[in-house]
Amino acid sequence: MIKTDKIAIVILNWNGRDMMRQFLPSVVKHSKDEGCVIVADNGSTDGSLDMLKEEFPEVELLPLPQNYGFAEGYNKALDLVEAPYYLLLNSDVEVPEGWLRPMLDYMEQHPEVAACQPKLLSQKNKQYFEYAGAAGGFMDRYGYPFCRGRIFADVERDEGQYDTTAHLLWATGAALMVRSKDWKESGGLDGRFFAHMEEIDLCWRLRSRGRGIVCVPQSVAYHVGGASLAAGNPRKTFLNFRNNLLMLYKNLPADELKPVMRVRKWLDMVAAFKFLITGDVANFKAVYKARREFRRMLPDFEKDRQHNLQLAVDGGHGLPERIDQSLLLLYYAKGIKRFSALHF
């Protein structure tokens, strides 16, 4: 058990020795006043632990016996950490001096807020937002996530347009600061997701229960992105489609479930057909496999859905960060490519 009165900055690693060698120095250097840096290792076989012991003796280590995936790996690790705040940080994140203090100050001043994220910029091109979280996450009626600074694959240049603190539906798992009390009461990440969408599911549960999620853009982090699975990888497509459907099933208000799922069935068929006509048979199969696996797993999630609805304020309705429109329609039919052009 690791106990600290600081922020527990927990980096989950799986065979990321070279990535940590590149980015961990900035985290250690710029977090020592407010944070305790911990690396939880998901059963790596690339010598990560030996490298960490030799080159980063100041970092706490939590070796896990196997690769539990992103979601359950963090659950296992944080069961062994006691701290007022957890900060889940990807291994491919670079941070500047003073990155933690604005988030910590905001959380200390706003006890109604469960979690927050920094402004997330691209490590490869620091003038642009990073796809995974940008300046905070939202969602359309049919489960399509988007961010302040990113709609689908269109990523905006950071020109200070989102430098105000904003309330969100979800904060990025690449740099997610969450109160340990809220983490424990919500049950943490859903380990059955393995990876992808798990932070959105967690944040949606917290929001439905009346807790706040925000972006504090005075804090900044630089994310490489795609370090585990690259965009277009069929495994990533499978996890994104399956987990998105599971997340919708777990969290949608009762009167929305059937109509939303009917539309999603057709939208997923369109997405699969698009892969097929472009010759991407592997991703075509991944979408159908995801829907088949979703149906198979549904019985395991019935109790979770009922539990979430019981704890949700007003049955989960009234979250302003979920727009009651189709992002696909807004993007493709109306040409809306920037968050600032949305009205909700």
Side-chain angles (χ1 to χ4, degrees):
M1 178 69 70
I2 297 174
K3 298 182 180 181
T4 178
D5 58 359
K6 296 183 176 183
I7 303 168
I9 302 166
V10 184
I11 300 170
L12 187 67
N13 171 63
W14 182 70
N15 289 341
R17 180 188 59 188
D18 295 337
M19 194 74 71
M20 285 190 299
R21 185 175 272 147
Q22 180 179 357
F23 295 111
L24 193 53
S26 73
V27 179
V28 172
K29 180 179 180 180
H30 298 310
S31 306
K32 57 187 176 182
D33 291 337
E34 292 92 6
C36 169
V37 181
I38 302 165
V39 174
D41 188 77
N42 238 346
S44 292
T45 57
D46 68 343
S48 289
L49 285 173
D50 290 337
M51 183 276 291
L52 289 165
K53 290 174 184 176
E54 181 178 343
E55 299 182 24
F56 298 95
E58 65 273 62
V59 171
E60 298 275 3
L61 299 181
L62 281 177
L64 301 175
Q66 66 187 66
N67 181 11
Y68 290 101
F70 185 92
E72 191 62 14
Y74 265 117
N75 289 340
K76 297 283 187 184
L78 295 185
D79 280 345
L80 302 173
V81 177
E82 287 188 11
Y85 298 98
Y86 300 140
L87 201 157
L88 287 62
L89 189 70
N90 280 15
S91 60
D92 59 344
V93 172
E94 176 188 343
V95 300
E97 183 178 359
W99 77 290
L100 278 176
R101 175 52 61 178
M103 288 193 292
L104 179 59
D105 287 347
Y106 189 91
M107 295 290 279
E108 293 285 275
Q109 295 164 17
H110 296 84
E112 75 281 3
V113 172
C116 68
Q117 69 159 81
K119 178 166 68 172
L120 198 66
L121 300 177
S122 170
Q123 196 274 336
K124 297 176 182 177
N125 189 343
K126 294 181 179 179
Q127 295 178 323
Y128 283 81
F129 289 101
E130 205 282 314
Y131 178 94
F138 298 77
M139 187 184 295
D140 84 339
R141 176 174 173 79
Y142 301 107
Y144 291 85
F146 59 99
C147 305
R148 291 200 305 169
R150 190 270 294 175
I151 295 180
F152 291 126
D154 283 86
V155 179
E156 297 179 36
R157 183 186 180 96
D158 176 24
E159 298 174 333
Q161 67 271 43
Y162 305 121
D163 277 356
T164 54
T165 301
H167 289 269
L168 316 170
L169 179 69
W170 58 274
T172 177
L176 173 64
M177 182 175 174
V178 57
R179 294 182 197 275
S180 58
K181 183 175 184 290
D182 284 292
W183 173 274
K184 292 171 184 176
E185 289 181 354
S186 66
L189 300 173
D190 192 325
R192 294 165 294 185
F193 281 35
F194 190 79
H196 298 293
M197 298 284 172
E198 64 286 304
E199 80 270 36
I200 304 180
D201 170 63
L202 169 63
C203 291
W204 193 349
R205 281 183 273 134
L206 289 167
R207 282 294 295 119
S208 292
R209 297 170 194 184
R211 303 293 289 152
I213 312 290
V214 302
C215 174
V216 182
Q218 292 72 33
S219 285
V220 177
Y222 303 100
H223 184 218
V224 174
S228 55
L229 289 173
N233 184 298
R235 174 65 173 167
K236 187 169 189 173
T237 299
F238 166 77
L239 289 170
N240 274 327
F241 274 79
R242 184 198 68 176
N243 293 349
N244 188 272
L245 292 168
L246 291 171
M247 175 184 68
L248 287 171
Y249 180 72
K250 286 178 66 178
N251 295 288
L252 279 173
D255 59 342
E256 289 191 54
L257 182 62
K258 287 184 179 180
V260 166
M261 286 305 196
R262 278 196 296 267
V263 173
R264 266 303 298 269
K265 181 179 179 179
W266 288 104
L267 291 175
D268 289 355
M269 290 175 65
V270 169
F273 182 69
K274 183 180 178 182
F275 283 128
L276 185 62
I277 63 174
T278 58
D280 192 345
V281 176
N283 274 307
F284 166 78
K285 291 180 178 178
V287 175
Y288 272 87
K289 181 182 176 184
R291 291 202 59 88
R292 184 172 65 247
E293 185 69 2
F294 162 66
R295 292 190 296 271
R296 186 192 68 79
M297 294 176 71
L298 269 185
D300 295 335
F301 285 82
E302 175 60 29
K303 288 183 179 179
D304 297 89
R305 172 170 173 76
Q306 296 307 319
H307 180 68
N308 289 342
L309 290 179
Q310 288 171 4
L311 295 179
V313 178
D314 190 28
H317 292 93
L319 296 181
E321 306 88 8
R322 279 189 65 225
I323 62 171
D324 192 27
Q325 303 174 69
S326 167
L327 191 64
L328 286 166
L329 181 64
L330 294 172
Y331 183 87
Y332 288 106
K334 298 187 177 181
I336 292 178
K337 306 291 178 70
R338 295 173 66 91
F339 179 89
S340 56
L342 293 170
H343 300 286
F344 63 95

